[in-house]
């Protein structure tokens, strides 16, 4: 429902913040961006992971060259929906547009692109609905290629039985590696050994998620006040949706889908 609601608000000259994904298709996303440009208003997609301290500290270490050039990235998320848990529309292709890859998974695609610091040239992979048996995928494996100098692999899973929420990002560079345990902390591995950094202590998961939500809302409101484009800009976050869309094509056809020049 994002596209219709956002376009109505933009036509009324209102700035708009929508949660991820920006829409279920890039066609709808483009329509929303065109409406924002026509209205002279801001359109912003909330990407909470960009504001988590463990993610931002790891990103700073990468930018400072502490692990060298990033050559391999692995990301994964496993979350339990329970037996047919969650809203029914989660498993409706017509309403949700996709399953685990498009819902929580779009966060992982976005942060992989952010850490890679470049856009991928190809995507391939597989999907399955063997766990919940719905219309959309509940498990998937995505592979991304970045001009031969960096590769990424992302694993997504909605689990039927109770299971700890896991969301781990591993970055391997030419001088070391980083492992981010989302909502926990991160590890820096190098010739000096393993340095562990714990971000949270006794906070509930809801409190941890609020860190990201507050971050995106503050950035949106500050951008409105300052009359500037919020970070990350909607064009950048829309790339994650384009990658997901191309991934669905790759999974359906079994082919490697070229992305160069399309992001």
């Amino acid at each position: 429902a994002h596209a219709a609601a956002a376009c109505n608000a933009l036509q009324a000259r209102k700035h708009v913040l929508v949660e991820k994904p920006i829409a279920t298709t890039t066609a709808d996303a483009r329509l929303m961006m065109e409406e924002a440009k026509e209205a002279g208003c801001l359109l912003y997609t909330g990407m909470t992971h960009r504001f988590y301290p463990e993610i931002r500290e790891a990103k700073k270490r990468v930018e400072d060259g502490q692990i060298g050039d990033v050559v391999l990235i692995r990301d994964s998320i496993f979350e339990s929906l329970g037996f047919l848990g969650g809203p029914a529309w989660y498993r409706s292709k017509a309403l949700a547009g996709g399953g685990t890859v498009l819902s929580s998974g779009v966060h992982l695609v976005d942060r992989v692109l952010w850490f890679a610091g470049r856009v991928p040239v190809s995507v391939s992979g597989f999907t399955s609905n063997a766990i919940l048996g719905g219309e959309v995928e509940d498990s998937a494996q995505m592979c991304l290629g970045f001009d031969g100098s960096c590769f990424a692999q992302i694993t997504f899973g909605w689990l039927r039985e109770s299971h700890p929420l896991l969301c781990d990002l591993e970055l391997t560079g030419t001088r070391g590696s980083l492992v981010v345990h989302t909502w926990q902390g991160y590890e820096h591995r190098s010739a000096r050994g393993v340095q562990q950094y714990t971000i949270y202590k006794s906070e509930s998961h809801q409190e941890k998620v609020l860190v990201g939500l507050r971050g995106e809302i503050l950035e949106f409101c500050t951008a409105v006040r300052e009359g500037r484009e919020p970070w990350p800009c909607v064009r950048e976050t829309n790339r994650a949706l384009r990658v997901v869309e191309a991934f669905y094509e790759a999974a359906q056809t079994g082919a490697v889908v070229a992305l160069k020049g399309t992001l």
Side-chain angles (χ1 to χ4, degrees), residues 98-133:
T100 178
V101 178
L102 186 59
S103 61
S104 297
V106 76
H107 277 308
L108 276 63
V109 176
D110 176 69
R111 66 192 200 175
V112 164
L113 301 190
W114 188 37
F115 274 91
R118 69 204 90 168
V119 294
V121 296
S122 65
V123 60
S124 60
F126 305 91
T127 62
S128 170
N129 63 351
I131 298 175
L132 299 177

Side-chain angles (χ1 to χ4, degrees), residues 78-213:
F78 301 99
E79 51 190 335
S80 173
L81 292 189
F83 181 69
L84 299 182
W89 63 263
Y90 258 51
R91 299 181 303 281
S92 166
K93 177 69 174 176
L95 295 177
T100 178
V101 178
L102 186 59
S103 61
S104 297
V106 76
H107 277 308
L108 276 63
V109 176
D110 176 69
R111 66 192 200 175
V112 164
L113 301 190
W114 188 37
F115 274 91
R118 69 204 90 168
V119 294
V121 296
S122 65
V123 60
S124 60
F126 305 91
T127 62
S128 170
N129 63 351
I131 298 175
L132 299 177
E135 298 176 2
V136 297
E137 82 285 351
D138 50 45
S139 57
Q141 191 81 45
M142 178 188 296
C143 294
L144 296 170
F146 298 85
D147 282 331
S149 58
C150 178
F151 303 94
Q153 180 180 9
I154 311 177
T155 304
F156 315 82
W158 279 344
L159 304 180
R160 188 188 195 99
E161 306 298 332
S162 295
H163 191 280
L165 173 61
L166 300 176
C167 188
D168 292 346
L169 169 66
E170 183 175 350
L171 304 142
T172 302
T174 53
R175 294 177 51 205
S177 64
L178 287 163
V179 181
V180 181
H181 304 291
T182 314
W183 306 299
Q184 296 179 44
Y186 66 97
E187 301 169 9
H188 182 195
R189 302 169 177 174
S190 66
R192 293 181 297 172
V194 179
Q195 297 170 285
Q196 295 184 328
Y197 301 88
T198 301
I199 302 296
Y200 308 96
K201 297 179 181 178
S202 58
E203 297 91 338
S204 68
H205 182 66
Q206 288 80 359
E207 290 174 308
K208 297 172 188 176
V209 171
L210 279 175
V211 172
L213 287 169

Side-chain angles (χ1 to χ4, degrees), residues 4-16 35-36 38-41:
C7 288
N8 285 341
L10 290 164
Q11 289 165 8
R13 299 297 190 269
K14 304 297 181 183
H15 301 295
V16 173
E35 289 286 359
E38 177 69 21
C41 293

